[in-house]
């Protein structure tokens, strides 16, 4: 996997692979492909010298540092299994993961030090990272096959227990389906990703794919005001921008000339959660550039998207990427066109995980014949465009109807006083469950009556929330995904 990611760069060793920007947009690090390749292979040699054996885990508990991808790919090049973790995890949360993954080594940034070391693990403190990198580089990566394990990602499970998603060496090659199917990525591109190094969205979209394509990456390591991103893009010639819907909304609140700032930009990308149609249209109007959305999950990364070759369609999240076999199932068979069902991906997809770490029952439960069941509900139109209807475990019921919270959120997010919204079903008393909307207001709170009136103009009555609650922020995972199950009513608002 590491050799594949560096292959294109070895053809252009003097080309810039990565610029690291501080909060003001100044370049504080610049890595050429030759330097990056040497650092990765040197780190691999250093890890082997520390006794790392094939298949052993190296946990990364690091902040927003360029060392993160170097240790990630260095571990894989050495034959180990890299385990990226969020810097936002508490020590207690990290120890739960460590108990499951049993790491051989843990790379820990100075500000994330642990009070106690997990059993059987050796700590790699921040000062030793450069020593690892400075070792004589391996001449070649470990001899691994496409189905051998490469990295492990932990994701939230419906049971509340994080699940380790184990990916194979082939996963990096399989990401090529995103290059045309989502990015429109080429060697001349400059990818500006607004996420931190230790976010898997950044690690994949912002680093792995541009490097594998021979393109350049721009990543920040400081605190950036949302309204400064257009300036950073202009100063450094970004041709593709990757962000989340929330950041696009924040950029649009600024009064700058977005069209001028993003003059070099060909298009933008969004993932992590559904982007409201109104927001997508507002972005295109202000910048003159389209934004392409993708749907994915830790088990396979993105697999449905719009792209330069597959124009966005209102209401749809996108189209299966070329090379993907995707279905909407009713039981074990494909559902009829336009009918809701379980979104599934072929188990032969090279980007699909090997399985859930130490959870064979969970792995088996995710399979249905030739298909991996994503846990999402969707419907497909005659041209293959897919409308995402939310997670199966988030589906609400009212008056005998099944309701997707995503559908309600999409409809209500166009209200000018709503900055962010999450909808879920709450239990008022035993036997009585109502749909509640939790709202981060954009300015003054409009009042429940005004919101209810607006909802009735956008939704069938049975889909309309009966409870409206203002909140300061919505609960999200470290990767920015909405956690509807953590929404809780202020008891004083219950009817």
């Amino acid at each position: 996997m590491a050799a594949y990611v560096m292959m294109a760069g070895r053809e252009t060793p003097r080309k810039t692979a990565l610029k690291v920007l501080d909060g003001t947009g100044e370049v504080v690090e610049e890595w050429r492909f030759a330097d990056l390749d040497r650092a990765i292979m040197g780190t691999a040699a250093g890890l082997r010298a520390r006794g790392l054996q094939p298949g052993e885990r190296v946990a990364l508990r690091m902040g927003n540092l360029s060392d993160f991808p170097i240790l990630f790919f260095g571990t894989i090049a050495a034959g180990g299994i890299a385990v990226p973790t969020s810097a936002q995890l508490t020590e207690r949360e990290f120890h739960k993961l460590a108990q499951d993954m049993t790491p051989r080594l843990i790379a820990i940034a100075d500000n994330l030090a642990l009070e106690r070391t997990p059993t059987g693990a050796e700590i790699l403190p921040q000062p030793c990272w450069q020593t690892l990198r400075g070792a004589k580089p391996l001449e070649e990566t470990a001899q691994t096959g496409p189905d051998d394990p490469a990295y492990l990602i932990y994701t939230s499970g419906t049971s509340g227990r994080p699940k380790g998603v184990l990916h194979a060496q082939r996963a990096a090659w399989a990401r090529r389906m995103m290059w045309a199917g989502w990015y429109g990525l080429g060697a001349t591109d400059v990818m500006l990703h607004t996420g931190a190094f230790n976010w898997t969205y950044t690690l994949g979209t912002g680093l792995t794919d541009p490097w594998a394509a021979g393109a350049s990456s721009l990543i920040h390591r400081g605190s950036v005001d949302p309204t400064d991103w257009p300036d950073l893009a202009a100063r450094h010639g970004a041709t593709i921008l990757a962000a989340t819907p929330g950041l696009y909304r924040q950029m649009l609140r600024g009064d700058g000339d977005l069209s001028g700032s993003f003059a070099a930009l060909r298009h933008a990308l969004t993932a992590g959660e559904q982007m409201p149609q109104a927001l997508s249209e507002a972005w295109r109007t202000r910048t003159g550039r389209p934004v392409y959305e993708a749907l994915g999950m830790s088990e396979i990364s993105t697999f449905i998207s719009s792209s330069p070759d597959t124009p966005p369609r209102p209401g749809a999240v996108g189209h299966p990427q070329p090379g993907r076999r995707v279905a909407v199932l009713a039981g074990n068979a494909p559902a009829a066109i336009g009918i809701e069902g379980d979104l599934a991906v072929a188990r032969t997809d090279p980007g699909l995980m090997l399985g859930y770490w130490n959870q064979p029952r969970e792995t088996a439960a995710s399979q249905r014949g030739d298909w991996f069941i994503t846990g999402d509900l969707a419907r497909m139109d005659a041209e293959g465009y897919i409308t995402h209807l939310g997670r199966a475990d988030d589906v609400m019921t009212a008056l005998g109807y099944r309701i997707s919270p995503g559908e309600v959120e999409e409809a209500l997010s166009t209200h000018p006083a709503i900055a962010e919204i999450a909808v879920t079903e709450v239990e008022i008393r035993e036997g009585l469950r109502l749909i509640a909307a939790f709202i981060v207001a954009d300015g003054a709170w409009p009042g429940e009556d005004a919101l209810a009136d607006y909802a009735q103009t956008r939704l069938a009555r049975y889909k309309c929330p009966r409870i409206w609650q203002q909140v300061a922020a919505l609960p999200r995972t470290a990767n920015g995904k909405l956690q509807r199950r953590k929404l809780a009513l202020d008891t004083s608002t219950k009817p």
Side-chain angles (χ1 to χ4, degrees), residues 21-34:
L21 314 177
D22 65 12
T24 66
E26 296 298 319
V27 178
V28 292
E29 294 180 49
E30 183 168 355
W31 291 81
R32 301 189 185 279
F33 275 107

Side-chain angles (χ1 to χ4, degrees), residues 60-65 68 85-92 94-95 106-116 123-126 129 198:
L60 308 181
R61 181 174 168 81
M62 304 163 63
N64 188 14
L65 302 169
F68 194 96
T85 68
S86 170
Q88 298 181 49
L89 293 179
T90 65
E91 180 164 346
R92 180 175 180 273
F94 180 82
H95 275 292
I106 306 175
I108 299 182
D110 290 341
N111 63 324
L112 296 170
L114 300 171
E115 291 187 5
R116 61 184 178 87
I123 299 299
L124 295 175
Q126 191 166 339
W129 300 346
N198 60 7

Side-chain angles (χ1 to χ4, degrees), residues 360-372:
R361 289 184 180 179
E362 289 277 0
T363 301
S366 70
Q367 300 169 357
R368 189 184 301 168
D370 295 333
W371 300 98
F372 166 75

Side-chain angles (χ1 to χ4, degrees), residues 397-441:
T397 58
L399 301 176
Y401 293 95
R402 300 173 71 197
I403 303 165
S404 163
E407 180 182 4
V408 179
E409 291 160 3
E410 169 75 18
L412 299 181
S413 65
T414 55
H415 192 289
I418 295 178
E420 294 183 274
I421 182 172
V423 174
T424 192
E425 194 179 38
V426 296
E427 187 172 17
I428 302 304
R429 57 180 181 272
E430 187 175 1
L432 177 60
R433 302 183 68 85
L434 298 177
I435 297 174
F438 295 80
I439 293 169
V440 178

Side-chain angles (χ1 to χ4, degrees), residues 39 42 71 99 104 120 180 191 229-230 288 305 350 353 366 374 409 435 490:
L71 274 159
Q99 186 177 13
R104 168 68 176 77
M191 172 78 77
W229 285 110
S305 53
M353 66 172 184
S366 70
T374 66
E409 291 160 3
I435 297 174
D490 176 349

